[in-house]
């Protein structure tokens, strides 16, 4: 189901609760909403659709990917970026890392690890900031 985009900064500033297997339908809605906004959006976190759970969905080099309970466990090569967001007006500066190693759970809640670089890494960092209640 395509959900409305949340623009309530007080809600977006809350740290997300851990996702559970019961939240798979939230991930499905998140993906459908992201696909609906594909012309102007490359990633979303569950709080952007009004659900305070630690779930992100993003364009991973042309294929959408969902992460439950993502966490950055290693960072390298910081840089300054300028980012926009469907939930927020305008663009804002953000410190990002060229390479990140992420630990997350897949749709079967199996733990996974992977290093992401470049644009994909930047998208993931933006969405994980949403999970942390960080408004860039």
């Amino acid at each position: 189901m395509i959900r409305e985009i949340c623009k309530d900064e007080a809600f977006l500033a809350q740290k997300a609760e851990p996702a559970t297997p019961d939240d798979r339908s939230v991930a499905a809605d998140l993906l459908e909403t992201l696909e609906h906004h594909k012309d102007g959006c490359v990633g979303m976190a569950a709080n952007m659709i009004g659900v305070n759970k630690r779930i992100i969905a993003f364009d991973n080099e042309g294929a959408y990917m969902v992460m439950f309970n993502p966490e950055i466990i290693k960072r390298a090569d910081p840089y300054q970026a300028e980012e926009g967001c469907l939930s927020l007006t305008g663009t804002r500066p953000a410190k990002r890392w060229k390479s990140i190693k992420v630990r997350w759970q897949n749709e079967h809640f199996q733990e996974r690890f992977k290093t992401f670089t470049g644009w994909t890494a930047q998208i993931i960092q933006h969405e994980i900031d949403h999970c942390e209640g960080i408004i860039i």
Side-chain angles (χ1 to χ4, degrees), residues 110-122:
Q110 298 162 320
E111 190 171 63
R112 296 289 183 250
F113 295 86
K114 185 175 177 180
T115 298
F116 295 89
T117 60
W119 178 235
T120 304
Q122 185 173 340

Side-chain angles (χ1 to χ4, degrees), residues 84-102:
C85 181
L86 283 180
S87 290
L88 305 168
T89 306
T91 59
R92 300 164 191 236
K95 181 179 182 178
R96 296 295 179 223
W97 305 85
K98 291 179 184 172
S99 175
I100 57 171
K101 184 173 185 179
V102 182

Side-chain angles (χ1 to χ4, degrees), residues 6-25:
C6 176
K7 297 180 184 284
D8 178 352
E9 288 193 27
F11 181 78
L12 295 168
Q14 297 177 57
K15 189 167 181 164
E17 297 291 323
T20 69
D22 292 337
D23 295 316
R24 287 185 182 109
S25 64

